Amino acid sequence: MHKMAANEANVNQNIAAQNEQAGQIDVDEDPNMVQWRGNLVTEKEAKALRHVFDNLQDHFGHQRPDPRVRFNHVSLAHPGHGQKWHGDVDFTYDIDGDHCKLNYIGMDVCIDLAPKLVHKHGQPLLNDYGSTWLYVYLPQLSIDRVKSYMKAGTGWDVSGEGFIDDNNRSMVAIEVKLCNESGQPEPSFWVVKDKDASGGRGSMSFSRIGSVQEVAAQPHQQRIHRGIGIFSISMEVDGTSNLEPTPGTWDEANLSFTLVSARTWGVTDCVAPIVYAPSKRHLD
C-alpha cells in the first residue's frame, strides 16, 4: 500500500472507532469540516458515516432492499515482491441524491464469539480466534449480492477464496480480520439498549460495551450475536510484477473483510458455530 493510502487507512480506522459525537462545524479549523466521533471529516464523509454507522442504512441483508451503494474502481499496487497486486475497495452511497464516498459497508451477519475446541495437547486449533480474526455467518444470497455489486462497480469477478459454504443451510462463513495492532483502535462492539419498534433498525439506540476482543473474552458473551457488521474490504489479484492486472483479463479477485464495528441486538441458537478447523479449500 502506498504511504498516503496507508495514512488514509489509519485515519479512517481511528474515525470508525471513536465515541459518538454530534456532527458540528468547527469554524476554527475549517468551515468545510465537521466533527464525527471526535474527528474532523468532510461534510460528505460525515453524512455517509452517519448514514452507515448511526442510521444503519443501505446495508446488505436478507430480505432487505437493494443497497443504494456503488463499489468503485480499485487502484491496485504491487508490494515490490511476489505476484499479487493489492487494493482497497471504497464505496459511493446515494443519500437523497447526494453521492458520498466512504470506505465501509454494512452487512446483516451473525458474529461468532463462541469458544473453539482444542486438540488433545491443549493447543488451539484455531489460533488467535477472537483476537486477530473471527467468523461471521450470513446467507448465501447476501454474499452473492455483494459479489454482483463488486462485478458491476469494478469489473472484477470475486473468487470463492475465504468463504466456507454450508450448502445444507444456504449459509456462508467468512473469516474476517480484527485490527489488534499497537496504536490502532480495535473494532467496537455495541448492543441495543432502546428500540422504537415503529422506526425499524435505524431507530434502535445502541451502547458500546467494549471492543470485539474484550467482549469475546467474557464467558457470558461467548455466543453467536445477531446484528450488523460494518466492514472495510481489500482485494488482491494474481498478476506479474511489471504489469497491473485488469478485470476480464486476469484471475478473479480475492476479497478480504476487516470488521470495524458491530451493532448487535441479541443472540441466536439457530446457527451452528464452527468449532474446529474446517476444510481449507476456501481459506487462505
Side-chain angles (χ1 to χ4, degrees):
M1 182 183 295
H2 293 302
K3 182 177 180 180
M4 182 177 296
N7 290 338
E8 182 181 7
N10 290 341
V11 169
N12 284 325
Q13 288 286 354
N14 280 290
I15 287 172
Q18 298 298 322
N19 292 330
E20 275 184 270
Q21 295 188 12
Q24 299 291 334
I25 294 176
D26 187 342
V27 294
D28 294 331
E29 294 287 342
D30 188 332
N32 296 316
M33 305 292 282
V34 300
Q35 288 271 356
W36 188 81
R37 299 188 187 178
N39 290 267
L40 282 175
V41 297
T42 66
E43 292 186 60
K44 276 198 170 185
E45 186 174 6
K47 186 174 185 177
L49 288 164
R50 288 192 294 266
H51 187 74
V52 174
F53 283 80
D54 302 338
N55 301 327
L56 303 179
Q57 297 298 304
D58 285 324
H59 58 274
F60 292 83
H62 181 57
Q63 296 181 340
R64 298 283 300 172
D66 288 340
R68 294 164 298 175
V69 61
R70 183 180 72 246
F71 286 48
N72 297 320
H73 171 74
V74 180
S75 296
L76 298 174
H78 191 268
H81 56 84
Q83 301 297 315
K84 293 187 181 296
W85 290 67
H86 303 267
D88 296 321
V89 185
D90 62 28
F91 315 93
T92 299
Y93 288 86
D94 181 355
I95 307 174
D96 299 325
D98 199 4
H99 294 156
C100 305
K101 278 192 174 184
L102 194 64
N103 290 353
Y104 311 106
I105 63 165
M107 298 190 297
D108 275 341
V109 293
C110 292
I111 300 168
D112 184 0
L113 302 186
K116 306 305 173 194
L117 293 179
V118 297
H119 64 58
K120 61 183 180 180
H121 299 297
Q123 297 298 317
L125 286 171
L126 300 175
N127 293 326
D128 299 322
Y129 190 85
S131 175
T132 63
W133 68 281
L134 53 72
Y135 288 120
V136 300
Y137 310 113
L138 68 165
Q140 180 71 57
L141 289 175
S142 295
I143 202 64
D144 286 345
R145 186 176 297 179
V146 170
K147 291 180 179 181
S148 70
Y149 271 59
M150 181 74 180
K151 173 68 173 180
T154 71
W156 286 103
D157 290 303
V158 177
S159 76
E161 194 78 16
F163 302 113
I164 303 169
D165 299 326
D166 184 344
N167 295 323
N168 292 327
R169 296 181 298 165
S170 297
M171 297 283 288
V172 176
I174 305 177
E175 182 180 328
V176 303
K177 297 178 181 177
L178 303 174
C179 183
N180 71 335
E181 298 176 3
S182 176
Q184 295 297 312
E186 295 180 336
S188 56
F189 194 95
W190 302 65
V191 296
V192 67
K193 64 177 182 180
D194 186 28
K195 177 182 177 182
D196 177 358
S198 64
R201 294 177 184 175
S203 299
M204 291 181 179
S205 177
F206 293 87
S207 176
R208 186 183 188 278
I209 62 171
S211 70
V212 172
Q213 287 92 331
E214 291 169 341
V215 174
Q218 301 172 21
H220 70 283
Q221 297 285 8
Q222 292 175 349
R223 307 279 300 279
I224 295 180
H225 297 256
R226 297 173 58 242
I228 295 175
I230 300 172
F231 302 87
S232 62
I233 299 179
S234 60
M235 60 174 279
E236 65 177 22
V237 185
D238 289 328
T240 60
S241 59
N242 59 353
L243 182 62
E244 179 178 349
T246 57
T249 58
W250 295 80
D251 291 335
E252 298 171 320
N254 301 330
L255 297 187
S256 176
F257 295 79
T258 299
L259 182 63
V260 171
S261 186
R263 302 292 197 275
T264 66
W265 48 76
V267 297
T268 179
D269 295 320
C270 297
V271 176
I274 294 172
V275 295
Y276 59 90
S279 168
K280 296 297 184 181
R281 66 186 181 88
H282 287 319
L283 292 177
D284 293 334

